Each structure stands twice: as structure tokens, then as C-alpha cells.
Amino acid sequence: VLWSISAAISSYNIAAAEESLYYNQPDKARHYVEAASRWGPRSAPLPPQYEAKWRQTKLLLQGNAMDETQKRALYDEALAFLDEAQRRQPSFSFIHNARAKLYFVAQGQGLITDGNDRAIAELDKVLKADPLNLDARTGLANIYLHDGELKKAQAVLDDGLRWPRPKGQPDLDYLVLTARVHKQLGDVAGHDQLINEALSRAKSYGLTKPAQK
């Protein structure tokens, strides 16, 4: 009974932390992350994962106002929490996604020089084990886009078209992102085909017209 109660309280705080981090409110999220860590079962991988995610978000949003020591501390602590999360649940693919995001942010903050390469390696691991993982696939494509590797981004996204995606907005966002990359590479016909598919699916999902990006 006590385990069930602690798990429920931890789950509530994880959800609240996720919402705060989604809206880029790391200071508000801190309270919920601490509560999730305090109440969560010792074997649960989510509390340390969110300790890491909080630090990654803090580094992303406020790193430019920090000195090198402060930024390094956040990065090292986030890595340690991800190691702990992976120790608790070695097969938890979200940990690899979290590592990739942390490496990407760390390179942007000048903490490491090979962050994007490390992130790509982590996301490749996820997609080899689970090609349907939309978070890893779009994350990998966005890193390639950030680096100006449009053809690599297109290859990753086009490969994802072979696999089922969550219905609704995630599916539409994926189609629009893929269409945008096709357009950037001069494939107007491919772009139009994907946008028309997105429009058709938006109608079937009962959603409004997806915005072209």
C-alpha cells in the first residue's frame, strides 16, 4: 500500500514537472522534480531522469547567464542522474534520447566539442532497437538540420515514413517537417505530396489545417 501511494505521488509530480518544463519554466519545475525524487520508489528510473532533464532545461534556457563552473556542474550532475536512471532500467530508451538532448545543449553552451556526434550515436542506438521511436527520429533529423546536413535529415525522415506513427498532431507534425526538408532540397513535388497527405489526415483526425513550416 505504501509503495502504491508513493508511486502515485511521484507520478503526479513527474507529470507536473513535465508540464512546467514543456512551458520552459525550470524554476517552477524544481519543486515537482524534488517531490518526485523524494516520493518515488527507489527502483524507478523516472525521478533521476527528470533530475537530469531539469538540469538540461536550466542549461538550455539560462546557461548564457552562468559562468563556466555553474554550467559544468549542471552538465556533470545531469550525466550522473542519467547514469543512475540507466542503472535502474537499462532498457529504457528514453534515457538515450535524454542523453542526446543533453549532449546537444552542452555543445551549444561550449562545454564539449563533440556533443552533436555523441547525440547522433545515442539516437542511432534507439532507432536500431526501435525504428518507431518518433522522438529519436525527429531529434536525429533536427541535429542534421542544425548542422546543415539536409540530405541526411531527409534520409532519416523518409525512412520514418515506412513506419506507423501516433495518430493526431504527432503524425501531422512529422509529415510537415519531412515536407519542409524536401522543399529545402528543391523537391517541390515531394513537398506538395506530403502536405496534401497531412491535410487529408488532419481532416480524418478532426483537426484543423496543419501549418506549413
Side-chain angles (χ1 to χ4, degrees):
V1 173
L2 290 176
W3 186 93
S4 297
I5 292 172
S6 68
I9 295 174
S10 179
S11 295
Y12 165 80
N13 283 287
I14 286 292
E18 175 67 30
E19 181 179 10
S20 298
L21 292 173
Y22 177 82
Y23 287 109
N24 294 329
Q25 299 172 323
D27 295 333
K28 180 179 179 181
R30 183 65 240 166
H31 164 76
Y32 298 116
V33 171
E34 288 176 350
S37 296
R38 183 168 62 252
W39 284 95
R42 293 186 178 183
S43 60
L46 280 176
Q49 182 190 337
Y50 272 83
E51 288 284 4
K53 187 171 184 176
W54 177 82
R55 285 162 173 79
Q56 176 243 308
T57 304
K58 184 92 170 171
L59 190 59
L60 173 65
L61 298 177
Q62 302 175 7
N64 291 337
M66 299 177 185
D67 61 33
E68 188 74 11
T69 300
Q70 291 172 313
K71 292 193 292 186
R72 175 64 61 179
L74 285 174
Y75 174 66
D76 290 343
E77 289 168 5
L79 282 178
F81 276 114
L82 288 176
D83 287 342
E84 174 60 20
Q86 192 163 22
R87 185 190 67 78
R88 296 184 184 187
Q89 180 51 270
S91 62
F92 204 42
S93 65
F94 290 110
I95 297 171
H96 294 291
N97 289 336
R99 283 188 192 278
K101 292 174 183 177
L102 178 61
Y103 291 145
F104 180 80
V105 171
Q107 177 166 325
Q109 290 293 330
L111 293 171
I112 55 179
T113 58
D114 60 346
N116 289 3
D117 291 337
R118 294 191 196 184
I120 288 169
E122 291 291 335
L123 296 174
D124 278 337
K125 290 178 187 176
V126 176
L127 291 177
K128 286 178 181 177
D130 178 16
L132 279 71
N133 192 306
L134 201 61
D135 189 29
R137 191 170 292 281
T138 55
L140 182 57
N142 281 317
I143 290 174
Y144 284 136
L145 289 173
H146 180 271
D147 290 346
E149 300 279 2
L150 296 181
K151 289 186 177 180
K152 289 184 178 180
Q154 182 187 34
V156 170
L157 292 169
D158 282 352
D159 181 65
L161 294 174
R162 302 187 299 117
W163 304 96
R165 295 176 296 281
K167 294 181 179 180
Q169 198 62 49
D171 184 27
L172 302 181
D173 289 344
Y174 188 87
L175 288 169
V176 171
L177 174 61
T178 308
R180 177 166 65 87
V181 175
H182 275 261
K183 188 174 184 178
Q184 287 179 287
L185 286 168
D187 181 14
V188 177
H191 166 270
D192 292 347
Q193 180 181 354
L194 288 164
I195 289 298
N196 287 334
E197 177 66 21
L199 291 171
S200 176
R201 294 193 181 196
K203 184 177 180 180
S204 70
Y205 297 146
L207 299 175
T208 57
K209 179 180 177 180
Q212 294 192 33
K213 300 179 180 179

